[in-house]
Amino acid sequence: MKTLERLVAEKLLKIKAVKLQPANPFTWASGWKSPIYNDNRKTLSYPAVRSFIKLELARMISEKYENVDAIAGVATGAIAQGALVADLLGLPFVYIRSTPKDHGLENLIEGELKPGSKVVIIEDLVSTGGSSLKAVQAVRNFGCDVIGMVAIFTYGFPVAINAFKEAKVTLNTLSNYDAVLEEAVRTDYIAESDIQVLQEWRKDPAAWDSDK
C-alpha cells in the first residue's frame, strides 16, 4: 500500500502543484536557483484534491495533538485550507499576517484568538522555516501555546529542521521532498539520473549552481 507521503506527492505532481525541472531551473523570490517549484494553492482548484488534503490535515491534527482550542493559518497560502480544516474540526479559526496591516487595528493576527489557547498552525509549504516560525512567534507573543504545526509539504532543508528544533515546534507534514522524488521517478516524470542533481540542491540550495 502506498504511504500517505507518496499518495500526496502523486496528487501534487498530477495537478502540477509541484514542478520539477532539473535542466531548466526556476528562480525563487529569494534569488535562489531551484530545480523544483511548489504552489499548493493549486490544490484549491481541484475539489477532490482539496477535500483529500483537508481530511488528511484534520486527521493528522486529531491524531497528534490533544485538546486543540484553535486553528491558525499562515497568510496567504494556508488561509483557505486552514479555514476548511477548522470548519471540519469545529474549531475557531484565525490567520496570521506576515506583517501587521498598516491601518485600523494594525492586527498581525486576524480573527478572535483567546489568550491561553492551545493552537495548531497550518502551513501550505515549509522551506527555510523563517516565515513559518515568525507566525509561531506571533501566536506565542499573543499569549497562546503553539502545540504544533502541520503543513502540506516540506523540502526538508537542514536549516529548517534545525530552526524548528531550536524553536521547540513539532512539525508534521502530509508529504515531503523525498516522497516527491520517489513518485517522480516511478511515473517517469524525471529520470533516475536526475536524482543526484535534485539531492545535491537540497543540501545547499543557496549555493547551488545548475551549470556545474
Side-chain angles (χ1 to χ4, degrees):
M1 184 182 288
K2 193 173 288 187
T3 63
L4 176 62
E5 289 89 351
R6 291 278 294 269
L7 192 55
V8 173
E10 180 183 44
K11 292 178 185 296
L12 295 178
L13 286 164
K14 193 171 183 179
I15 64 171
K16 294 183 170 58
V18 172
K19 292 183 179 180
L20 292 164
Q21 294 180 187
N24 184 27
F26 303 94
T27 302
W28 285 5
S30 61
W32 288 2
K33 294 292 183 183
S34 169
I36 182 172
Y37 188 77
N38 176 243
D39 180 9
N40 289 320
R41 279 173 276 237
K42 274 199 168 187
T43 63
L44 298 168
S45 301
Y46 295 83
V49 178
R50 180 181 70 214
S51 183
F52 178 81
I53 286 173
K54 172 187 70 177
L55 289 166
E56 291 303 328
L57 285 172
R59 190 200 312 275
M60 184 173 276
I61 291 169
S62 296
E63 289 178 354
K64 295 187 179 294
Y65 304 105
E66 293 182 355
N67 305 317
V68 183
D69 296 315
I71 300 295
V74 181
T76 59
I79 293 177
Q81 194 59 255
L84 289 168
V85 171
D87 186 60
L88 185 61
L89 294 174
L91 291 170
F93 176 73
V94 299
Y95 71 85
I96 310 153
R97 294 174 171 273
S98 55
T99 55
K101 63 181 181 183
D102 57 6
H103 61 280
L105 298 176
E106 300 182 352
N107 293 335
L108 188 59
I109 297 174
E110 296 288 1
E112 188 168 340
L113 187 60
K114 295 177 181 177
S117 296
K118 291 184 176 180
V119 180
V120 171
I121 297 177
I122 293 183
E123 261 285 28
D124 67 322
L125 168 69
V126 174
S127 53
T128 62
S131 59
S132 303
L133 291 173
K134 190 177 175 184
V136 168
Q137 196 56 50
V139 174
R140 285 175 171 171
N141 289 346
F142 196 77
C144 293
D145 180 14
V146 176
I147 59 175
M149 179 179 288
V150 297
I152 298 172
F153 183 82
T154 179
Y155 289 106
F157 293 142
V159 64
I161 293 168
N162 292 334
F164 272 84
K165 195 177 292 182
E166 284 179 19
K168 294 181 171 59
V169 180
T170 303
L171 173 67
N172 287 288
T173 65
L174 297 186
S175 193
N176 53 62
Y177 192 65
D178 291 329
V180 161
L181 297 194
E182 289 166 10
E183 275 304 299
V185 169
R186 186 188 68 80
T187 56
D188 295 324
Y189 187 112
I190 58 170
E192 279 199 50
S193 56
D194 291 324
I195 290 290
Q196 187 176 351
V197 172
L198 289 157
Q199 289 176 336
E200 284 297 319
W201 169 79
R202 185 171 60 177
K203 288 177 187 174
D204 190 2
W208 184 71
D209 185 351
S210 60
D211 295 326
K212 283 185 179 178

